[in-house]
């Protein structure tokens, strides 16, 4: 298949088929896109940064970020729905943390990339 302006006139069919087979399912692509979209919000990134340091409750997050508990709760619900954060109850308190090390690594790599250019 040739496209106007493309310098590749011939791509080995086996290589093309192998690359095509390596593509993710639509569901996986959608879920990954949703994850990155959610990470595109500054408040959510701040929450993820704080939770990468330690487990915190809503009121502690709100106090540190200088926003209302409602704002934090709303953002945590979004993060929880995508399994980026998890919670545990201790009597009447609810504590939040990152769901797993993948989230911490994703955040750390993104931060390192940005800081490299600063």
């Amino acid at each position: 298949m040739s496209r106007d302006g493309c310098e590749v006139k011939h791509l080995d069919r086996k290589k093309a088929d192998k690359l095509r087979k390596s593509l993710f399912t639509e569901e996986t692509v959608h879920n990954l896109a949703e994850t990155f979209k959610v990470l595109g919000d500054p408040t959510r990134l701040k929450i993820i940064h704080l939770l990468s340091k330690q487990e915190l409750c809503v009121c502690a997050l709100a106090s540190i970020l200088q926003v209302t508990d409602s704002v934090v709760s709303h953002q945590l619900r979004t993060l929880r729905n995508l399994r980026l954060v998890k919670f545990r109850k201790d009597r009447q308190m609810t504590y939040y943390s990152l769901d797993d090390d993948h989230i911490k690594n994703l955040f750390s790599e993104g931060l390192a990339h940005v800081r490299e250019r600063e």
Side-chain angles (χ1 to χ4, degrees):
M1 181 185 320
S2 178
R3 299 195 191 272
D4 292 339
C6 182
E7 294 179 15
V8 177
K9 299 298 180 195
H10 176 71
L11 179 61
D12 181 273
R13 178 166 284 200
K14 287 181 182 179
K15 288 181 182 178
D17 288 343
K18 185 176 180 180
L19 287 170
R20 193 173 295 108
K21 287 177 184 175
S22 75
L23 290 171
F24 306 118
T25 65
E26 287 301 313
E27 180 182 4
T28 299
V29 170
H30 173 76
N31 291 339
L32 185 58
E34 283 297 309
T35 298
F36 281 112
K37 185 166 73 172
V38 164
L39 294 175
D41 179 86
T43 302
R44 289 192 285 262
L45 282 177
K46 290 175 187 176
I47 290 170
I48 287 175
H49 171 69
L50 293 171
L51 295 179
S52 74
K53 303 289 183 190
Q54 72 179 65
E55 179 181 71
L56 294 164
C57 65
V58 170
C59 55
L61 285 164
S63 176
I64 294 166
L65 295 174
Q66 297 180 319
V67 297
T68 65
D69 289 4
S70 177
V71 166
V72 170
S73 292
H74 174 74
Q75 300 300 347
L76 285 168
R77 184 172 27 263
T78 300
L79 293 168
R80 228 178 38 245
N81 287 341
L82 282 174
R83 295 186 353 231
L84 300 178
V85 300
K86 61 185 176 183
F87 68 93
R88 73 171 178 88
K89 294 226 180 236
D90 183 9
R91 298 184 199 127
Q92 300 233 339
M93 292 295 295
T94 303
Y95 295 94
Y96 290 86
S97 61
L98 296 183
D99 190 68
D100 59 32
D101 284 340
H102 295 113
I103 307 310
K104 187 174 185 175
N105 294 339
L106 181 62
F107 176 78
S108 296
E109 287 296 319
L111 184 59
H113 176 71
V114 167
R115 286 187 168 162
E116 190 175 87
R117 294 196 257 162
E118 290 178 346

